[in-house]
Amino acid sequence: MNVIFMGPPGAGKGTQAEKIVSEFQIPHISTGDAFRAAMSQGTPMGIEAKGYVDKGLLVPDEITNGIVRERLAQPDCDKGFLLDGFPRTVAQADALSEIVDSLGKKIEVVINLAVDRSYLLARLTGRRICKSCGSTYHVIFNPPQQEGVCDKCSGELYQRSDDTEEKVGTRLDEYINKTAPLLDYYQKRELLREVNGEQDIHAVTEQISSLLRGLA
Ligand code: ADP
Ligand code: ADP
Ligand code: ZN
């Protein structure tokens, strides 16, 4: 199963991806996670990406496409993959189409997690992430059993530096201007399926999972 998750920042892509990759046993490819890992390691790519991520802007296409091109060529992607947060521009979608063609693969479905803008600020400012295993929580909507501590690995939870009210505004503008046009792009290619991301976490998982089981 070769799947793309789309949706605005805070729609629930990462949360749902954790569950879906565990059910379908496919790798989770998140360009946001790749940038955060490179930033914390201080690699040259990470240093360059940081200038954009810290401002809430999209990282340039050439850098982002390079990450995905390398990752999709790894042998574990032969059994399928879930792309979370890529593509985010029409140029990235065109590059992806070329990458999958060259590998003899094809995108089977694009799931759009539809969530109204009015939900997103609260979701993003309350988001907390485990430093050790990357699991996502929310202080109100999905709290850990013990405040600040990961249920799965007892790691410390932190808040992303771009999950502030100020950065969220810029990120939503980037989404509307550069990413939302992709809905039309994939609709025209008959790949787009919409899931209501405003339901509770469990209901959203059920809906995605049955949609994917129907395609498998
Ligand atoms: P994305 O990867 O699309 O930016 P996340 O999966 O990180 O979104 O979710 C953003 C925040 O909202 C997280 O704190 C997460 O726990 C919470 N969240 C995710 N899905 C839901 C939902 N269906 N209802 C309420 N909160 C949610
Ligand atoms: P969110 O949870 O808000 O959807 P991500 O973790 O996917 O955020 O991405 C965090 C940041 O990483 C983005 O604001 C952007 O700076 C950068 N980024 C992630 N994916 C891409 C992409 N496909 N193209 C450009 N920049 C990206
Ligand atoms: Zn953890």
Side-chain angles (χ1 to χ4, degrees):
M1 184 67 49
N2 301 334
V3 189
I4 296 175
F5 275 8
M6 279 197 50
K13 303 180 295 295
T15 300
Q16 297 301 330
E18 276 179 41
K19 299 177 192 291
I20 295 298
V21 300
S22 129
E23 177 182 346
F24 290 84
Q25 293 292 305
I26 52 177
H28 175 194
I29 304 174
S30 157
T31 41
D33 286 350
F35 287 132
R36 281 184 291 278
M39 281 158 53
S40 75
Q41 287 158 17
T43 67
M45 185 273 276
I47 292 166
E48 194 173 356
K50 193 170 165 43
Y52 298 92
V53 175
D54 280 351
K55 295 191 185 81
L57 297 171
L58 293 183
V59 177
D61 292 333
E62 313 80 70
I63 303 176
T64 313
N65 293 342
I67 295 177
V68 174
R69 182 173 284 114
E70 264 181 40
R71 185 65 187 86
L72 288 182
Q74 301 294 311
D76 64 334
C77 292
D78 287 347
K79 60 187 173 194
F81 53 82
L82 192 169
L83 279 169
D84 160 8
F86 182 93
R88 268 174 146 111
T89 65
V90 170
Q92 290 179 14
D94 286 337
L96 176 63
S97 151
E98 208 180 286
I99 295 166
V100 295
D101 276 353
S102 74
L103 294 167
K105 302 180 195 288
K106 102 179 180 285
I107 299 300
E108 289 158 278
V109 63
V110 177
I111 294 183
N112 180 43
L113 278 176
V115 177
D116 188 79
R117 193 178 173 129
S118 59
Y119 287 65
L120 303 174
L121 182 64
R123 284 204 186 174
L124 291 167
T125 53
R127 173 159 62 187
R128 299 291 183 271
I129 296 177
C130 174
K131 263 185 187 160
S132 311
C133 76
S135 291
T136 301
Y137 297 86
H138 190 282
V139 290
I140 297 161
F141 308 134
N142 185 23
Q145 274 166 20
Q146 192 189 335
E147 194 186 320
V149 181
C150 178
D151 292 344
K152 292 180 193 135
C153 78
S154 301
E156 189 190 329
L157 304 188
Y158 77 100
Q159 181 171 24
R160 273 168 51 176
S161 62
D162 58 345
D163 277 346
T164 60
E165 191 160 349
E166 177 208 357
K167 308 280 173 64
V168 167
T170 311
R171 287 161 61 203
L172 291 176
D173 289 345
E174 287 281 79
Y175 171 78
I176 288 166
N177 294 325
K178 298 180 180 163
T179 309
L182 284 179
L183 297 176
D184 212 35
Y185 179 102
Y186 284 117
Q187 176 81 58
K188 285 197 176 110
R189 287 160 180 76
E190 297 184 350
L191 290 172
L192 193 69
R193 302 293 294 268
E194 185 149 306
V195 167
N196 173 7
E198 294 173 1
Q199 310 168 84
D200 70 47
I201 293 176
H202 181 70
V204 178
T205 309
E206 278 301 300
Q207 207 179 321
I208 298 175
S209 156
S210 77
L211 192 160
L212 293 180
R213 273 187 254 118
L215 294 173

